[in-house]
Amino acid sequence: MTTKKLYIKTYGCQMNAYDTVRMHDVMRPLGYAASDTPEDADLVILNTCHIREKAEEKVYSDLGRLLKEKDKKKARGGKMLIAVGGCVGQAEGEEIIRRAPYVDMVMGSQSYYQLPEMVTRAIRGQGGVVELDFPAEPKFDYLPEATKQGVSAFLSVQEGCDKFCTFCVVPYTRGAEYSRKVSAILDEAKRLVDQGTLDIMLLGQNVNAYHGEGDDGRTWSLADLMAELSNINGLERIRYITSHPRDMTQDLIDIHAGKKIMPYLHLPIQSGSDAVLARMNRKHTAEFYLDILSRLRKVRPDIAFSSDFIVGFPGETDAEFEETMALVREAKYAQAYSFKYSPRPGTPAATDENQVPEDAKKLRLAQLQALLQEQQMAFNASTVGKSFEVLFDREGKYEGQLLGKSPYMQSVHIKDVNHYRGKLVSVTIEESYLNSVAGRVMSFNSNQKVA
């Protein structure tokens, strides 16, 4: 079989990164090998995200650049297929073909398992191929077995969301909540561990709403699933993302006492104002959220938190923004993401008449980010002098530098020890910065296989 080249550009969230891996899995049997650049690719896929501001414009800008590469390849006697997938593909559909008729395929976030058929149709010159349906059977039933991801791996356990926050497109682009069967998840996790994975991140748009069917006939919660995953020999670290405060049940809080559950949780709140949270349809209050953090800290005193914030949501007043600042001061985050509100077509908030002026949003975002950076610096500084295991998985920017992840998802770098790549190593932190920390190796289990 002639080898062809596949290039996928991945935007946005960890779920998209997981989907990119699975698209490679789907196309590999057809002779498509991964390419690092689009220039020599036979198939280019933009795996898009709809969450960030001006997402569609960024996609169309990238498509314009790809058209030039497509024309160059045609002039050389070759052919490049261009596909748009992910959430922008799901949301825009036929509009992408109308605005960019050189695009060969558009597929939704639940349709990429049909890639082989879509490629065949496109090669036969059937015009813009569009697949946006949410299948009656989950896409996981059609996918091949997952291939090796490395010492750290993503594992999708849940997709979709039923919360319908007024700013969010996920229920429309990813569909209703669906939880994979327990046996399928455990089988995939064991295969990953057999291939050398030590650290698994469980993924879902609303991952702690997981309610999967077990072979024992009962419905398993995320806590049940994590407890069973903890029994897999060779799996050292378990994480999960992204969670909704309404689904932080007590059994899930209690599971954080487990040794293999990392002491770091991303739990978005979006705003510290109850009035704004109500307009967002978040279905919880700031007090409810802070109580969750308190209960988690009782179970796991060394736990650290990150979050998401939207400033300038329609109708947000100065006083309501100050409530967000007050919550951040009380919560004390290790890290957080913050953004200006930008309307998403099709969402209720996009048609709200009380849009906050752009200059006010910019000012509030700058104030919030200054506070969050101060907290991040303080958290990183608090780890200086402490020792913990770091999983080294990549080379740094400088020669002889190795980068890894701490239990708190900090980027940790050490010098001149590249033979620790792929290993869990005990490191004492000696220096801290805004986005990373540096340390020295204290001990290493020589029984670990060299990567």
Side-chain angles (χ1 to χ4, degrees):
M1 181 181 294
T2 302
T3 300
K4 300 177 182 178
K5 295 293 185 69
L6 167 61
Y7 174 80
I8 305 178
K9 179 173 180 178
T10 308
Y11 307 67
C13 66
Q14 291 92 342
M15 185 68 79
N16 270 15
Y18 176 85
D19 285 347
T20 289
V21 172
R22 300 318 312 273
M23 281 190 271
H24 278 290
D25 291 342
V26 168
M27 296 305 295
R28 192 171 289 110
L30 276 72
Y32 282 84
S35 173
D36 294 328
T37 62
E39 287 78 14
D40 64 342
D42 300 282
L43 171 60
V44 176
I45 302 173
L46 302 184
N47 188 12
T48 62
C49 176
H50 206 281
I51 299 300
R52 301 294 177 247
E53 186 177 5
K54 299 180 180 178
E56 299 93 335
E57 286 83 349
K58 293 176 182 177
V59 171
Y60 286 113
S61 177
D62 282 346
L63 285 174
R65 286 188 286 271
L66 286 175
L67 174 59
K68 296 178 181 178
E69 298 301 329
K70 185 171 187 173
D71 288 342
K72 290 178 184 177
K73 186 152 190 173
K74 182 177 180 181
R76 298 193 301 267
K79 184 173 184 177
M80 174 190 288
L81 297 178
I82 299 176
V84 178
C87 291
V88 173
Q90 187 76 54
E92 293 284 289
E94 296 279 0
E95 177 66 11
I96 294 175
I97 301 295
R98 189 191 69 79
R99 286 184 58 179
Y102 50 88
V103 171
D104 301 282
M105 297 170 285
V106 178
M107 57 192 166
S109 52
Q110 304 300 320
S111 305
Y112 64 76
Y113 68 91
Q114 299 183 66
L115 257 173
E117 178 189 348
M118 295 174 68
V119 168
T120 300
R121 289 163 59 190
I123 290 174
R124 290 174 178 170
Q126 296 184 13
V129 180
V130 180
E131 292 288 353
L132 303 175
D133 291 341
F134 290 100
E137 298 296 326
K139 68 185 182 188
F140 299 102
D141 291 353
Y142 298 96
L143 295 173
E145 289 187 359
T147 55
K148 183 176 181 179
Q149 293 188 49
V151 291
S152 293
F154 295 129
L155 202 173
S156 182
V157 303
Q158 182 271 344
E159 286 205 16
C161 184
D162 296 343
K163 293 295 189 289
F164 288 93
C165 297
T166 58
F167 57 83
C168 186
V169 298
V170 166
Y172 312 103
T173 59
R174 288 280 181 172
E177 287 180 358
Y178 164 77
S179 297
R180 293 179 69 187
K181 291 183 179 179
V182 172
S183 58
I185 295 169
L186 295 178
D187 287 346
E188 186 170 338
K190 290 172 183 175
R191 284 196 299 271
L192 288 168
V193 172
D194 288 343
Q195 294 164 358
T197 294
L198 302 175
D199 181 322
I200 286 181
M201 175 78 82
L202 305 177
L203 298 181
Q205 270 81 36
N206 192 20
V207 68
N208 57 339
Y210 178 82
H211 51 281
E213 177 186 340
D215 288 344
D216 55 3
R218 65 185 179 93
T219 299
W220 288 41
S221 68
L222 183 63
D224 295 329
L225 179 64
M226 291 167 70
E228 189 64 25
L229 287 167
S230 296
N231 293 327
I232 297 177
N233 290 329
L235 178 58
E236 301 296 333
R237 293 179 163 188
I238 302 170
R239 311 175 187 273
Y240 60 98
I241 195 170
T242 292
S243 300
H244 194 289
R246 289 297 305 175
D247 294 307
M248 285 302 301
T249 53
Q250 190 59 49
D251 66 333
L252 184 55
I253 290 172
D254 291 340
I255 201 69
H256 280 266
K259 179 182 177 182
K260 292 187 178 182
I261 314 303
M262 291 297 95
Y264 179 85
L265 176 63
H266 184 69
L267 187 62
I269 185 171
Q270 308 298 354
S271 173
S273 164
D274 288 348
V276 173
L277 289 170
R279 295 198 295 274
M280 289 178 168
N281 195 35
R282 293 289 288 174
K283 298 184 178 71
H284 63 79
T285 63
E287 181 181 6
F288 179 90
Y289 177 89
L290 289 169
D291 180 63
I292 292 171
L293 302 193
S294 177
R295 285 188 283 151
L296 280 160
R297 282 172 169 141
K298 287 180 181 177
V299 169
R300 189 70 179 262
D302 62 336
I303 197 168
F305 298 102
S306 65
S307 190
D308 291 344
F309 291 93
I310 296 172
V311 302
F313 188 76
E316 183 187 66
T317 65
D318 288 340
E320 289 167 347
F321 171 70
E322 286 302 322
E323 290 179 301
T324 293
M325 296 288 281
L327 180 135
V328 171
R329 294 187 188 99
E330 184 169 351
K332 294 183 174 61
Y333 292 103
Q335 198 265 341
Y337 301 95
S338 54
F339 310 94
K340 294 181 297 180
Y341 171 75
S342 59
R344 294 291 177 267
T347 60
T351 59
D352 194 308
E353 296 179 355
N354 298 311
Q355 299 293 324
V356 175
E358 187 67 20
D359 57 348
K361 289 193 286 189
K362 287 182 178 179
L363 178 61
R364 291 173 189 173
L365 182 62
Q367 292 174 336
L368 176 59
Q369 289 183 340
L371 176 58
L372 290 171
Q373 286 187 6
E374 178 184 318
Q375 291 190 348
Q376 185 171 327
M377 285 283 288
F379 176 78
N380 286 344
S382 74
T383 62
V384 172
K386 295 181 180 178
S387 299
F388 36 68
E389 286 194 325
V390 175
L391 180 56
F392 289 102
D393 57 359
R394 61 201 185 280
E395 294 181 5
K397 293 189 296 183
Y398 306 105
E399 186 177 355
Q401 187 184 64
L402 199 60
L403 294 179
K405 292 192 293 286
S406 79
Y408 303 104
M409 291 297 287
Q410 296 160 298
S411 181
V412 182
H413 50 89
I414 56 176
K415 296 179 181 178
D416 300 323
V417 280
N418 201 38
H419 55 284
Y420 290 132
R421 184 169 181 172
K423 308 303 165 199
L424 274 168
V425 183
S426 179
V427 173
T428 295
I429 305 303
E430 296 181 322
E431 299 176 75
S432 68
Y433 311 94
L434 175 59
N435 295 310
S436 66
V437 294
R440 59 187 172 90
V441 173
M442 299 301 294
S443 64
F444 169 65
N445 181 357
S446 59
N447 292 325
Q448 294 186 67
K449 296 179 180 179
V450 176

